Amino acid sequence: MESKVSEGGLNVTLTIRLLMHGKEVGSIIGKKGETVKKMREESGARINISEGNCPERIVTITGPTDAIFKAFAMIAYKFEEDIINSMSNSTATSKPPVTLRLVVPASQCGSLIGKGGSKIKEIRESTGAQVQVAGDMLPNSTERAVTISGTPDAIIQCVKQICVVMLESPPKGATIPYRPKPASTPVIFAGGQVRADPLAASTANLSLLLQHQPLPAYTIQGQYAIPHPDQLTKLHQLAMQQTPFTPLGQTTPAFPGLDATPPASTHELTIPNDLIGCIIGRQGTKINEIRQMSGAQIKIANATEGSSERQITITGTPANISLAQYLINARLTSEVTGMGAL
């Protein structure tokens, strides 16, 4: 499997996403788009760059594995060329490594790390590249950053091995993709309403949003009703808008009565004791992630003697609760399928 991929013999179409700073994106695009045009033509891969006035941009590379490796090679060598050019104007004596950041669904990171870190250690040792998987998900998404640094050749070999892992362990469940936030400041409308995202749906539109979709809005999985994958991104946008609780560090709006947020409701579910740890995470990291992403308040009852289950109370708008349920269910699924290291 690995040798086939290394030789470009595996003609599987893959999509790899990279997170880049504005300066890096400028280097890839080149004057009048000449560099990226050349990369597309010579590699045979589709290379798309997200638009928007953002400090960070997403570069999406799609194509057969051999085309992706060619595109990565061209990007890595271009970055090395930039480093060499910048060094000629500085007093630095040691050449810094080339660094690329991949954006990978969190559900695949467990396979990439391996049991006790065995897989990531193997990749580091066999390629000579440094590989770091971020512990936290990128804001408002279910993706993590995977940082690769080293020589261009080491990076190319490392990407090949990561592609093998991604092909062998497809993402589980739906992925909420990371979308970099624009650099613009929020717009304050008359009446004190703040909207940082002009494209987001209005706060009262949850039922409309879910009614007018061609696919079912929910599927039943186990004892949980979870949003259909196609609804997740929209549901997440709504959840972020409809959060009925004031985030820490922010003051309550000075215009009571103008707030169109739906009233908070409460939903309860029970989780087996032996699975509660995967929901809470080390020092509460996972439950805090779920709270932050869903905008819901989540309380976990203390263990009661003689009971094999714990009660979880989720409070928020319908969108908050749906997203929190989905994220909790995703954690349980990953634990049950042996991906609990995520």
Side-chain angles (χ1 to χ4, degrees), residues 286-302:
K286 296 302 168 195
I287 193 71
N288 285 338
E289 264 178 22
I290 294 170
R291 285 179 181 127
Q292 190 178 349
M293 286 186 63
S294 66
Q297 277 191 354
I298 303 169
K299 290 180 181 171
I300 299 173
N302 292 330

Side-chain angles (χ1 to χ4, degrees), residues 34-159:
E34 285 170 11
T35 307
V36 74
K37 186 184 175 193
K38 186 183 176 189
M39 286 180 176
R40 285 173 181 140
E41 287 170 357
E42 292 189 13
S43 68
R46 288 203 305 277
I47 304 171
N48 292 321
I49 298 164
S50 67
E51 293 181 13
N53 178 27
C54 303
E56 294 179 318
R57 307 272 282 279
I58 297 285
V59 177
T60 307
I61 304 172
T62 306
T65 46
D66 56 347
I68 282 178
F69 301 151
K70 280 178 196 166
F72 262 94
M74 294 180 82
I75 290 170
Y77 282 114
K78 180 70 179 81
F79 282 179
E80 185 179 54
E81 187 186 306
D82 294 343
I83 290 168
I84 292 165
N85 290 340
S86 67
M87 283 183 70
S88 62
N89 302 322
S90 76
T91 54
T93 50
S94 60
K95 190 172 75 171
V98 173
T99 300
L100 293 177
R101 285 183 298 164
L102 305 186
V103 180
V104 177
S107 60
Q108 289 178 296
C109 288
S111 301
L112 190 54
I113 293 165
K115 206 164 193 176
S118 57
K119 188 66 190 175
I120 202 164
K121 186 183 176 197
E122 179 194 312
I123 293 173
R124 284 177 187 139
E125 287 174 356
S126 64
T127 65
Q130 279 300 312
V131 190
Q132 299 290 338
V133 178
D136 296 326
M137 292 189 214
L138 288 157
N140 304 333
S141 78
T142 55
E143 294 188 306
R144 293 192 203 178
V146 176
T147 306
I148 309 169
S149 57
T151 64
D153 290 340
I155 284 174
I156 297 155
Q157 291 306 315
C158 185
V159 168

Side-chain angles (χ1 to χ4, degrees), residues 10-16 46 61-66 68 167:
L10 245 189
N11 204 29
V12 180
T13 300
L14 258 183
T15 295
I16 306 283
R46 288 203 305 277
I61 304 172
T62 306
T65 46
D66 56 347
I68 282 178
L167 286 167

Side-chain angles (χ1 to χ4, degrees), residues 169-204:
S169 308
K172 289 182 170 57
T175 299
I176 301 173
Y178 174 58
R179 290 191 172 88
K181 283 274 172 70
S184 59
T185 52
V187 181
I188 300 179
F189 291 94
Q193 292 172 308
V194 178
R195 277 178 69 183
D197 179 4
L199 297 175
S202 77
T203 50

Side-chain angles (χ1 to χ4, degrees), residues 11 29 76 78 124 141 148 152 178-179 187 216 226 250 252 259 269 271 294 296 316 328 334 339:
N11 204 29
I29 294 171
K78 180 70 179 81
R124 284 177 187 139
S141 78
I148 309 169
Y178 174 58
R179 290 191 172 88
V187 181
I226 64 168
Q250 291 185 17
T252 312
D259 187 7
L269 51 96
I271 302 287
S294 66
I328 288 169
S334 70
M339 296 281 287

